[in-house]
Structure formats: structure tokens, C-alpha cells
Amino acid sequence: MQFLYAADRGNARVAERFDILSTPVLRALKDIADKARKHGKPVALCGEMASQPIGALALAILGYRSMSLSPSAIGPVKALLLELDTKKGAEAILPFLDQPVGSVSMRHKLEGFAAAEGLQL
């Protein structure tokens, strides 16, 4: 994701500007998943996003079904994904991707959906 931002997220001066759950990032990830599905190609994601329950929630809602995550994250992420209704999540979350950037916090929408569904983040 740092390449989408063209920023070094390890740099303290710009680290706050990097949010993997921002609307532009989620739009890009959804576009990748949609195109892979359209062409019958598998798509997987490797990186720290899937190791956070809220990141895995977002990825599952976007259509990702294969993710690589750190061993310590397997338990919490698996518990969340076993309880997640991805169709319901997509209906609740995806319409917000069409909103103007900055008008909606996707992180807050995902947290609200998880709370309403009783999902542990």
C-alpha cells in the first residue's frame, strides 16, 4: 500500500497520512478483486493488512478469500471470519466506497458494522 501513497510509512513525518482502510486504498483493492473474479483468476493478498482483524474484515468484504497473515493473528482473524456474513458486510459497507474521499471514514464504518454484528475486532 505504501506504493499507492508513494510514501515511506516508516517515516514519522508522513506515517499518519497512511491508512490502509482509506477509501482510495479500499477502492483499489476492490477493483483488483473484481477484475480477478471477472477473469476467473485467483487473487490473494500478502501483507500486514490481513493480520489485523479489521483489515481482514475489509478484505473479506471486498472479495478476498485467500490471505497471508502472521501466525499470531490466525486465531483472532479466523474467529472473526467464521462469524462474518460477507454478503451482509458487502451490502453495508461497499456503498460507502462511492462517497467522495474524506466524507466517510471507512475505518469507522467497518468498526460500526463489526459492533452491530457482534464481531470481535
Side-chain angles (χ1 to χ4, degrees):
M1 291 304 123
Q2 73 190 52
F3 301 110
L4 287 176
Y5 283 99
D8 177 8
R9 62 192 169 126
N11 182 329
R13 296 187 329 200
V14 295
E16 285 186 24
R17 296 175 182 246
F18 180 82
D19 184 8
I20 58 172
L21 297 176
S22 68
T23 301
V25 169
L26 296 181
R27 283 180 188 161
L29 289 171
K30 182 178 181 314
D31 188 49
I32 292 166
D34 289 349
K35 286 191 168 115
R37 191 170 30 262
K38 176 182 174 184
H39 295 287
K41 300 294 181 185
V43 64
L45 189 105
C46 178
E48 65 187 58
M49 184 176 185
S51 293
Q52 302 169 13
I54 193 166
L57 171 65
L59 291 169
I61 288 172
L62 294 174
Y64 288 82
R65 299 297 180 260
S66 181
M67 302 173 219
S68 174
L69 52 146
S70 64
S72 63
I74 291 172
V77 169
K78 184 176 179 180
L80 176 132
L81 293 177
L82 287 172
E83 297 297 320
L84 174 63
D85 179 342
T86 54
K87 183 177 180 185
K88 193 172 185 180
E91 290 170 356
I93 298 298
L94 295 183
F96 293 106
L97 290 180
D98 295 329
Q99 300 296 315
V101 174
S103 65
V104 174
S105 167
M106 294 306 295
R107 182 175 296 277
H108 290 137
K109 292 296 179 187
L110 288 161
E111 290 170 344
F113 172 77
E117 294 298 307
L119 302 171
Q120 287 288 93
L121 295 179

